[in-house]
Amino acid sequence: MAETYQEGSGAGADFDLSQFYQIFFEEAGENLDQMEQMLLDLDLTSADDEELNGIFRCAHSIKGGSATFGFSDVAELTHQMESLLDRLRRHELQPIPQMVDVLLESADASRSLLARHQAGGHGEAVSTTSLVHRISELAAGRVPSEAPAAAPPPPPPPAAAPAQAPAAAAPAPAPAGKPAAAGQPRQIEIQVGPLERLEQADAIKELFRDIPGLGSIRDLPASQPNTRLFAVETSSTQDDLLDLFAFHVAKEQVQFRDPSASAPPDDVLADDEPTLVAEGGSTETPYGFFNGAPGAPNAEGSPGAATAPQPVKAAAKAASAESKGAVQAQMESTTIRVDVKKVDQLINLVGELVITQAMLAQNSRGLDAGAYQQLLAGLTDLDRNTRDLQESVMSIRMIPMSIVFSRFPRMLRDLANKLGKKVELVTLGEATELDKGLVEKITDPLTHLVRNSCDHGIEMPADRLAKGKSEQGTITLSASHQGGSIVIEVRDDGRGLSREKILKKAQERGLDVSEQMSDADVWQLIFAPGFSTADEVTDVSGRGVGMDVVKRNIAALNGSVEIDSAEGYGMKVSVRLPLTLAIMDGMSVGVGDEVYILPLSSVVESFQVNANDVSTVAQGSQLVKVREEYMPVIALEKIFQVPRFDLNKSSNIMVVVEADGSRVALLVDELLGQHQVVVKNLETNYRKVPNVSGATILGDGTVALILDTGGLVRRARH
């Protein structure tokens, strides 16, 4: 098929398929991700039909696209995968772990092949000969010797013969006591299931009750769990019945059987065999006659040929077409592919719009409300619409954490197998959303933390049993919103950190440590460059490069990392990140003639303070008592060395801000208001400034610094 599109003659040869390559690569990547997730979630003891069909559809889509674009190596590999999956979904084979392994390896090989094609054929060629051979062996039912013996597969259903083949023309004997005359109803058995709720099958019984001429139905004892078995007398064909049943149960859950052992099942008939219209409007699949054969019942010219088709068939086809149309319309309208640069440009334009709106709002404050009522009302609407627009545009860049978490089950499965450990991954808060720019940059640090938990944290199964734990360790990935930040936690129930071992390693490396250090300070030592507690270097870890990179990367995102551990019980690493890097709500405060912006999500409260309420402690540090709680006081005037031209004015307002679980009180001159601010990267345009996370442009065109509340809190701690 590939040569027909690319090298054929005529119009096909002039048609350039390369313009669709990028779309194909993206869709193929999504299909591979989906296939991998479904394979990892597959329950081998009771594989669900819908899951097997979903995996098969993914492989089929990749095969079709690869063949169309001429990627024959990908098409051949996915064709072999498709053959194995087809036998699995038909229940001709019992799924075993070796099949999941070879399908996952094939998915990886497909990624490599596609990446090579995407790079224009550059890169090392990937050999799939071994994979194809293993898939073929498994598809043929030859299981490797180390695999557990699979249950004997059920006999495969007879293959459907072409309508024009002589074998299809052989008449099939009718069920006992039922002549196969046109218009005569036939008896069949219909098995429906497995079903989540058995009452779903009651809708099928209602169809026979509500549709005149469909036939009769009665219950039979079911031989398999979660299934229903019916005895049906009908003159409708299998396709008509399937089209009707599809509105209530999946077609894959319906099986037709002939109660007579001598009669073949109804589904051996070819799909394109003609349906004859009998007298009285009933339809019957012909037995042993070709189209237009002399003497065929209801052949052209016979009285029955002019009879109108049975209403059941027409209604079923119309309903089926309507259902397919609805699904098609829904699929077309759910998503649209847009280049990220276009979204970023849109966000920048919205940011400029926010600045312009702030300028108009500030310049309109002195206007007479009576004389300029309509103008002020329009500015109020502009304020509201600008905020709604900003929230809508920002939501475009927000991506659920499930996108990040989805890559870890496969990685953890492979790593646990390599290390000989049993590990379960639990994910919480997958729906929590994070800015796309942060998602791309947080993936690598999280990958290292998960690998670290599996390698250093989780013990070997025998060691866990000796300690009274279950032999299977648990690593938990969770994400949640806390104020204006997102907190991602990596927890394990392994051995935890050893305080003595870390201090010993630190002393060997010449670090300044002491036995009086708090646990939190000791845990921070593992972030030192080149620090590792591993006894030997492996391909997984031990070189001491990793945790320092994790902390540096997260710090570059204005985030922080905290560690909590209990030896013998496990370890928790908390990563705290800002929700977005573009637009935020802020509170502007005045210190002298300067204006600073505090992230509104960090502000807890503000109050006026008397000089007597502030206590001075050692080394000139100040504390203020707020409702039985003492907080450190930070005077912004001193930190930023703000010049004071009005000596009579003093700072007597405190704003309590919270970050990293701690609170401090900032001493300022005045509160100027709350408004949206557009965050501009100060480091890119100038340089990194301590205690400042960015800058913004105010409505009057001046620049105000956005304070780093996390940095101020850490400063107060030390």
Side-chain angles (χ1 to χ4, degrees), residues 82-233:
E82 194 181 52
S83 301
L84 174 58
L85 290 165
D86 189 46
R87 294 205 66 188
L88 285 174
R89 69 175 187 152
R90 292 177 182 272
H91 300 288
E92 297 173 9
L93 291 174
Q94 177 72 21
I96 58 176
Q98 286 87 342
M99 293 180 181
V100 176
D101 290 339
V102 77
L103 288 171
L104 286 172
E105 290 178 36
S106 301
D108 287 346
S110 299
R111 286 184 206 276
S112 301
L113 293 171
L114 289 169
R116 187 168 179 269
H117 288 300
Q118 192 172 15
H122 301 294
E124 186 178 352
V126 180
S127 174
T128 58
T129 307
S130 173
L131 276 175
V132 170
H133 176 71
R134 288 166 58 195
I135 296 172
S136 302
E137 290 286 305
L138 289 167
R142 292 187 284 272
V143 183
S145 57
E146 65 271 11
Q164 67 272 24
K178 293 291 178 182
Q184 177 66 45
R186 58 199 172 93
Q187 292 183 352
I188 56 174
E189 291 181 359
I190 300 178
Q191 178 177 301
V192 183
L195 300 170
E196 294 181 5
R197 294 178 291 107
L198 288 177
E199 55 268 23
Q200 287 179 260
D202 292 338
I204 293 178
K205 297 175 66 175
E206 294 175 3
L207 289 174
F208 284 84
R209 183 192 65 194
D210 297 338
I211 299 178
L214 186 57
S216 62
I217 186 171
R218 61 185 176 86
D219 288 303
L220 290 176
S223 59
Q224 300 181 19
N226 299 325
T227 61
R228 295 283 294 274
L229 187 63
F230 301 113
V232 174
E233 186 172 334

Side-chain angles (χ1 to χ4, degrees), residues 663-679:
R663 295 183 177 184
V664 298
L666 304 180
L667 193 60
V668 301
D669 289 357
E670 56 182 333
L671 305 179
L672 300 178
Q674 301 176 11
H675 47 84
Q676 284 184 305
V677 296
V678 181
V679 181

Side-chain angles (χ1 to χ4, degrees), residues 17-80:
L17 287 175
S18 61
Q19 57 184 313
F20 303 112
Y21 278 6
Q22 189 56 39
I23 297 175
F24 164 72
F25 287 130
E26 290 176 0
E27 290 180 347
E30 291 170 1
N31 277 313
L32 287 170
D33 290 340
Q34 185 178 358
M35 180 196 298
E36 183 175 283
Q37 188 62 47
M38 296 177 77
L39 283 169
L40 293 171
D41 294 338
L42 190 64
D43 186 356
L44 299 180
T45 57
S46 58
D48 183 61
D49 283 356
E50 186 54 38
E51 291 177 348
L52 293 172
N53 282 315
I55 299 170
F56 176 85
R57 284 192 293 267
C58 291
H60 183 72
S61 299
I62 299 170
K63 186 195 79 169
S66 302
T68 301
F69 290 102
F71 305 144
S72 56
D73 49 358
V74 182
E76 171 60 21
L77 179 58
T78 48
H79 174 70
Q80 296 295 333

Side-chain angles (χ1 to χ4, degrees), residues 250-490:
K251 290 186 178 183
E252 293 82 4
Q253 295 177 310
V254 181
Q255 295 181 9
F256 293 86
R257 298 192 303 214
D258 198 307
S260 172
S262 60
D266 194 49
D267 58 357
V268 305
L269 299 171
D271 292 337
D272 56 351
E273 284 188 14
T275 300
L276 297 182
V277 182
E279 294 181 9
S282 63
T283 57
E284 178 75 3
T285 303
Y287 292 95
F289 293 102
F290 293 99
N291 282 333
N298 293 338
E300 188 177 354
S302 63
T307 310
Q310 185 182 7
V312 174
K313 185 177 182 72
K317 287 192 174 181
S320 177
E322 182 181 349
S323 172
K324 289 178 182 176
V327 173
Q328 183 78 8
Q330 184 182 5
M331 290 175 66
E332 289 175 353
S333 60
T334 51
T335 58
I336 182 173
R337 294 186 183 275
V338 179
D339 192 338
V340 176
K341 293 180 180 178
K342 293 184 179 180
V343 179
D344 291 340
Q345 183 182 10
L346 184 60
I347 290 176
N348 289 334
L349 290 173
V350 171
E352 297 302 320
L353 181 62
V354 169
I355 294 173
T356 304
Q357 183 271 326
M359 179 190 69
L360 293 173
Q362 182 165 336
N363 292 336
S364 64
R365 287 175 184 168
L367 297 179
D368 183 7
Y372 297 96
Q373 180 179 1
Q374 192 170 359
L375 174 62
L376 295 176
L379 290 173
T380 303
D381 290 342
L382 177 63
D383 183 17
R384 183 180 65 254
N385 293 336
T386 302
R387 180 175 291 271
D388 292 343
L389 177 63
Q390 176 258 320
E391 291 177 355
S392 299
V393 171
M394 291 307 302
S395 67
I396 296 176
R397 275 190 63 102
M398 302 303 279
I399 294 178
M401 287 301 298
S402 58
I403 301 295
V404 182
F405 289 172
S406 63
R407 68 183 60 201
F408 293 117
R410 171 70 191 284
M411 182 204 77
L412 200 58
R413 181 182 189 271
D414 295 344
L415 184 59
N417 288 340
K418 178 186 290 187
L419 298 173
K421 298 180 179 181
K422 296 183 178 180
V423 185
E424 178 189 12
L425 179 67
V426 178
T427 56
L428 304 172
E430 298 99 326
T432 307
E433 292 186 330
L434 184 64
D435 185 87
K436 183 182 186 300
L438 294 179
V439 164
E440 294 169 346
K441 296 174 182 176
I442 195 62
T443 301
D444 286 343
L446 284 183
T447 300
H448 184 84
L449 292 176
V450 171
R451 289 171 62 90
N452 199 62
S453 290
C454 183
D455 186 27
H456 294 293
I458 303 297
E459 308 97 331
M460 298 296 290
D463 296 338
R464 291 181 62 86
L465 291 174
K467 294 178 182 178
K469 300 180 179 180
S470 64
E471 64 176 0
Q472 184 181 55
T474 302
I475 295 177
T476 304
L477 268 173
S478 66
S480 61
H481 285 153
Q482 294 184 14
S485 304
I486 182 172
V487 177
I488 305 170
E489 293 182 349
V490 181

